[in-house]
Amino acid sequence: MKKEDIIITYGSDATSMTRALLQSIDIEGLLPDKHASIALKPNLVVAVTADSGATTHPEIVVSIIEFLQEKGYHSISIVESAWVGDSTKDGFRVNGYNQISKKYNVPLVDVKGDSYEKKTVDGITMEVSQTILNTDFLISLPVLKGHCQTAMTCALKNMKGCLSDRSKRLFHSLGLHRPIAALNVVRAADLIIVDSLNGDLDFEEGGNPVETNRMFACRDSVLCDSFGASLLGFELRDVPYIEMAEHLGAGTTDLEKANVIQLNEPSDEPVVRPTGRANYLGRYTEPDSACSACYGNLIHALKRLEEVDRLKNVKRNICIGQGYKGVKDPSKAGVGICTKGLGKSLPGCPPKAIDMIKFIKELNAD
């Protein structure tokens, strides 16, 4: 797997999707030393289960451990720290990590109880987990989701769980963006496998999950977050730490040079209708057998339009889904390749949220 590769797979079975990504990566080419230490860094920011849209699906962790052990890697640990005020141990317990640890003989490392080493980058001194600094190969397992302070969180921000609570507080006092960029110069993940199955619409702690049924893998955390931002409907300027990290040499934001490898087509299973805030946004849509990857991107696009007070300008609902295949209707507009017979249609399977935003803006400017 090359630095510019972004490998994406669609579906609803996290176990098989994870294995498909791993098989396409050539892990032995990236890590030829079978005795190397490997740390898995999930997102367990709060003690809630993955269906909330906040935390990494444990099936992903299990699938990676099984795959690595089959390949002869046995120095594996799971390393994480919940946000300030919450218990990592509760997060481990709620998500079944204690049983995973026992079954596969993989230790759990709570960064809150780890030793730290001070590192300084860009004038910011932070306390970073010794376990993370000393590990040979770090696999980050972030959830792609919204965030109330930084707009989104994915690979770059997931590294914040490698800090002491004191440094986490410092990061917040400095506005998060510059410190997050600096942290990824100190230590960035060697491989990122993104849980983008049902990340929350707005908040790091979950509560408004949006089903998108996809996962993707990257080696460049900056490129990973640039791609993730486009899926959620954000411009790079909306998430300042991404370009800051690029300027510090942590990676590239150049998606035009990225090699996007799609392992399969989005699942044809109809999307599970969202609840709460996402359900409210759904009133601007006309779904008919819509795939979750496509519909989820549309929900994120509508949310971005709402944030800039442009949702009120939407004059007609957006059609989406396989039910529009073969439908010829010049009066309707839709997103996704299934709606190509409508009067106006945005191609893609699925289109990114950022492209949907541009399409809807142009549609309502007519």
Side-chain angles (χ1 to χ4, degrees), residues 214-227:
R214 68 185 164 222
M215 293 175 58
F216 56 97
C218 308
R219 288 181 57 203
D220 181 331
S221 294
V222 178
L223 188 67
C224 178
D225 280 21
S226 301
F227 182 68

Side-chain angles (χ1 to χ4, degrees), residues 249-319:
T252 179
T253 62
D254 193 350
L255 286 175
E256 290 188 4
K257 293 183 180 178
N259 179 32
V260 179
I261 303 167
Q262 189 167 300
L263 299 182
N264 62 340
E265 297 296 325
S267 169
D268 59 4
E269 298 176 6
V271 65
V272 176
R273 290 298 298 227
T275 58
R277 193 64 180 157
N279 194 42
Y280 162 78
L281 295 168
R283 69 192 181 118
Y284 293 93
T285 72
E286 288 186 23
D288 188 346
S289 300
C291 299
S292 52
C294 203
Y295 191 77
N297 285 358
L298 179 56
I299 291 296
H300 283 291
L302 292 168
K303 176 59 179 173
R304 304 290 85 81
L305 289 168
E306 181 188 49
E307 289 168 351
V308 294
D309 200 28
R310 294 289 292 271
L311 202 55
K312 63 186 180 183
N313 296 334
V314 176
K315 301 169 186 174
R316 47 181 163 167
N317 287 357
I318 308 301
C319 298

Side-chain angles (χ1 to χ4, degrees), residues 4 8 22 37 48 55 72-73 94 126-127 136 142 148 159 170 176 178 200 207 210 212 243 264 286 297 315 322 364:
E4 63 270 21
I8 187 165
L22 290 168
S37 58
V48 297
T55 55
Y73 300 98
V94 166
M126 62 198 81
E127 297 173 336
D136 295 315
C148 63
M159 290 301 295
L170 171 67
L176 287 175
R178 192 165 66 92
D200 188 85
V210 176
T212 45
E243 289 185 310
N264 62 340
E286 288 186 23
N297 285 358
K315 301 169 186 174
Q322 298 170 80
N364 290 287

Side-chain angles (χ1 to χ4, degrees), residues 121-122 124 126 177-187 245 248:
V121 171
D122 197 28
I124 300 170
M126 62 198 81
H177 291 283
R178 192 165 66 92
I180 288 171
L183 170 60
N184 280 268
V185 176
V186 172
R187 184 66 167 106
L248 291 175

Side-chain angles (χ1 to χ4, degrees), residues 61-354:
V61 177
V62 170
S63 188
I64 293 172
I65 292 170
E66 290 181 346
F67 184 88
L68 291 174
Q69 290 184 344
E70 288 168 12
K71 295 292 184 181
Y73 300 98
H74 294 286
S75 181
I76 306 167
S77 60
I78 300 170
V79 185
E80 173 59 324
S81 171
W83 66 3
V84 176
D86 213 319
S87 166
T88 313
K89 291 180 175 59
D90 284 348
F92 284 145
R93 176 183 54 78
V94 166
N95 288 280
Y97 281 82
N98 296 310
Q99 293 88 337
I100 294 170
S101 174
K102 184 177 180 180
K103 179 177 180 178
Y104 296 100
N105 193 28
V106 172
L108 302 177
V109 178
D110 182 354
V111 170
K112 290 180 186 289
D114 203 4
S115 55
Y116 308 105
E117 184 174 335
K118 288 186 177 182
K119 296 287 186 178
T120 301
V121 171
D122 197 28
I124 300 170
T125 299
M126 62 198 81
E127 297 173 336
V128 185
S129 158
Q130 282 278 11
T131 301
I132 289 295
L133 290 175
N134 293 336
T135 197
D136 295 315
F137 196 81
L138 173 59
I139 303 178
S140 179
L141 308 172
V143 178
L144 177 62
K145 56 186 175 178
H147 190 278
C148 63
Q149 293 172 284
T150 60
M152 62 162 277
T153 173
C154 192
L156 292 165
K157 191 174 179 299
N158 195 42
M159 290 301 295
K160 190 163 161 277
C162 302
L163 297 169
S164 70
D165 278 2
R166 176 176 21 225
S167 288
K168 290 176 189 173
R169 293 188 189 97
L170 171 67
F171 273 35
H172 280 273
S173 72
L174 296 174
L176 287 175
H177 291 283
R178 192 165 66 92
I180 288 171
L183 170 60
N184 280 268
V185 176
V186 172
R187 184 66 167 106
D190 299 293
L191 174 66
I192 310 105
I193 296 179
V194 180
D195 181 345
S196 183
L197 294 166
N198 65 311
D200 188 85
L201 183 67
D202 291 302
F203 299 109
E204 186 175 12
E205 66 267 33
N208 284 296
V210 176
E211 185 180 351
T212 45
N213 283 348
R214 68 185 164 222
M215 293 175 58
F216 56 97
C218 308
R219 288 181 57 203
D220 181 331
S221 294
V222 178
L223 188 67
C224 178
D225 280 21
S226 301
F227 182 68
S230 72
L231 294 177
L232 295 183
F234 290 116
E235 303 280 358
L236 286 179
R237 63 176 178 270
D238 298 323
V239 193
Y241 65 74
I242 299 177
E243 289 185 310
M244 289 179 180
E246 179 182 46
H247 293 153
L248 291 175
T252 179
T253 62
D254 193 350
L255 286 175
E256 290 188 4
K257 293 183 180 178
N259 179 32
V260 179
I261 303 167
Q262 189 167 300
L263 299 182
N264 62 340
E265 297 296 325
S267 169
D268 59 4
E269 298 176 6
V271 65
V272 176
R273 290 298 298 227
T275 58
R277 193 64 180 157
N279 194 42
Y280 162 78
L281 295 168
R283 69 192 181 118
Y284 293 93
T285 72
E286 288 186 23
D288 188 346
S289 300
C291 299
S292 52
C294 203
Y295 191 77
N297 285 358
L298 179 56
I299 291 296
H300 283 291
L302 292 168
K303 176 59 179 173
R304 304 290 85 81
L305 289 168
E306 181 188 49
E307 289 168 351
V308 294
D309 200 28
R310 294 289 292 271
L311 202 55
K312 63 186 180 183
N313 296 334
V314 176
K315 301 169 186 174
R316 47 181 163 167
N317 287 357
I318 308 301
C319 298
I320 185 170
Q322 298 170 80
Y324 291 99
K325 285 183 177 179
V327 174
K328 305 292 184 181
D329 190 336
S331 69
K332 290 184 177 293
V335 293
I337 194 170
C338 297
T339 67
K340 64 181 180 180
L342 303 184
K344 292 193 176 181
S345 175
L346 175 68
C349 186
K352 297 184 184 72
I354 193 70

